[in-house]
Amino acid sequence: MLPVPNEGHRRRQKQRRRRFPWGSIATVILVVAVCVYAFTLFGDKESPENSQVNDTATQGPDDVQVGLLDESSPQNTQTANDDTDWNLVLVNYENAIPENYEPKLVEVPGGEKVDERIYDPLMEMLEAAKEGNLDQLPMVVSGYRTQKKQQQLYDDKVAGYRKEGNSQSEAEELAKQWVSVPGYSEHQIGLAVDINGAIYDLYFWLQENSYKYGFIFRYPGDKNDITGVAEEVWHYRYVGVEAATEMYEKGLCLEEYLAERQAEQ
């Protein structure tokens, strides 16, 4: 865009007309500059980017949200995870409990507590599991754990291995295979339960049917190199029916499933 000539510029133009014989050319240039400037002031100011935003803003609320929010924004991502992926939060020996995580708890038969969002599917699964448990309701013997409770269990396990003659570091490594380090336990998010039955066959039933209710056999023996935990036939984790079904059909543990999801995105 050419600038608007000022008074100094006009004086220089007069000087050029007195000094050179082709003053008419300068006049043409001056006229063109004024036309360009006028078009810039009064012409269409709306850029393609502004036009796109304005068009989006005339749509409904949902469309505006999709069109205007930055999907890469950490705030937007966190909101989506809170709404849809709470059931897939990964807590293991490498991933601590999310900061300020506070589940809303509800009590199940036997006195243990779980996240209230898994109560209904859990009870449906336990009721259905009666057929593999001598028609008795399986019991949740461990649900949500506080940091203090998890620390006590871990310390007791370490002390047990120390009594067997292991060094402190050896005892801690052995203990980690059975009891998660405090702050790294699924029990502390209220989405995991340890289940006891009248007979061992209950665990076979759970392994083959828990996915129908959104639960997974969390620590199978052939995945301990990935999960970092020895086989626990009693430990089940809620992930939702869709995720549990896919993991069951593909033979994946939670870590493998989440890695596949991330690779697909």
Side-chain angles (χ1 to χ4, degrees):
M1 180 178 67
L2 297 176
V4 178
N6 55 29
E7 291 301 321
H9 186 68
R10 290 195 182 96
R11 287 196 292 271
R12 287 195 294 274
Q13 290 292 347
K14 291 179 181 179
Q15 291 173 0
R16 290 193 186 96
R17 282 198 293 271
R18 290 196 297 268
R19 191 174 301 173
F20 299 103
W22 38 283
S24 59
I25 296 177
T27 301
V28 172
I29 294 175
L30 178 60
V31 171
V32 171
V34 172
C35 291
V36 170
Y37 181 71
F39 178 80
T40 303
L41 285 178
F42 303 107
D44 183 9
K45 298 180 181 179
E46 190 173 56
S47 68
E49 293 80 7
N50 290 337
S51 176
Q52 182 177 5
V53 171
N54 290 339
D55 288 343
T56 304
T58 62
Q59 300 172 1
D62 292 338
D63 295 324
V64 171
Q65 186 178 27
V66 173
L68 299 182
L69 289 180
D70 180 3
E71 293 181 358
S72 64
S73 166
Q75 182 178 359
N76 295 340
T77 301
Q78 184 63 41
T79 300
N81 288 340
D82 286 346
D83 292 341
T84 62
D85 292 337
W86 62 269
N87 52 304
L88 295 176
V89 60
L90 179 62
V91 176
N92 60 14
Y93 68 99
E94 293 180 319
N95 295 272
I97 299 167
E99 188 176 358
N100 299 324
Y101 191 98
E102 294 182 4
K104 294 181 180 179
L105 303 173
V106 62
E107 189 172 304
V108 298
E112 292 293 317
K113 296 180 180 180
V114 298
D115 187 305
E116 64 180 8
R117 293 170 290 189
I118 77 169
Y119 178 84
D120 288 339
L122 173 61
M123 294 311 300
E124 290 175 9
M125 182 175 73
L126 295 179
E127 285 289 341
K130 283 182 177 181
E131 65 179 79
N133 192 50
L134 301 181
D135 203 34
Q136 297 180 30
L137 186 73
M139 296 298 297
V140 174
V141 294
S142 185
Y144 172 76
R145 296 175 187 164
T146 63
Q147 177 79 1
K148 181 178 179 180
K149 178 64 174 179
Q150 189 67 30
Q151 185 71 57
Q152 178 187 344
L153 293 172
Y154 178 74
D155 290 344
D156 289 348
K157 202 68 173 177
V158 171
Y161 282 117
R162 287 282 285 153
K163 288 181 179 179
E164 295 177 2
N166 296 286
S167 67
Q168 181 67 24
S169 60
E170 291 172 339
E172 289 176 356
E173 288 303 313
L174 290 169
K176 290 176 185 177
Q177 297 180 33
W178 298 101
V179 180
S180 298
V181 174
Y184 293 79
S185 171
E186 285 188 333
H187 282 285
Q188 292 181 256
I189 59 175
L191 302 180
V193 291
D194 290 345
I195 301 174
N196 274 7
I199 56 175
Y200 194 85
D201 286 353
L202 167 68
Y203 300 120
F204 297 133
W205 186 94
L206 289 172
Q207 290 175 26
E208 294 300 320
N209 294 279
S210 61
Y211 73 92
K212 301 174 185 177
Y213 307 91
F215 288 83
I216 57 170
F217 174 28
R218 183 66 176 94
Y219 301 125
D222 60 345
K223 302 290 184 180
N224 57 10
D225 58 327
I226 301 173
T227 64
V229 178
E231 183 175 65
E232 293 186 355
V233 295
W234 53 84
H235 186 108
Y236 280 79
R237 157 70 192 268
Y238 184 82
V239 295
V241 174
E242 181 179 353
T245 300
E246 185 172 348
M247 279 185 258
Y248 174 79
E249 292 176 347
K250 293 183 177 181
L252 303 175
C253 64
L254 182 56
E255 286 81 0
E256 292 171 315
Y257 173 76
L258 293 177
E260 279 197 2
R261 279 192 60 180
Q262 185 174 5
E264 291 171 358
Q265 294 177 353

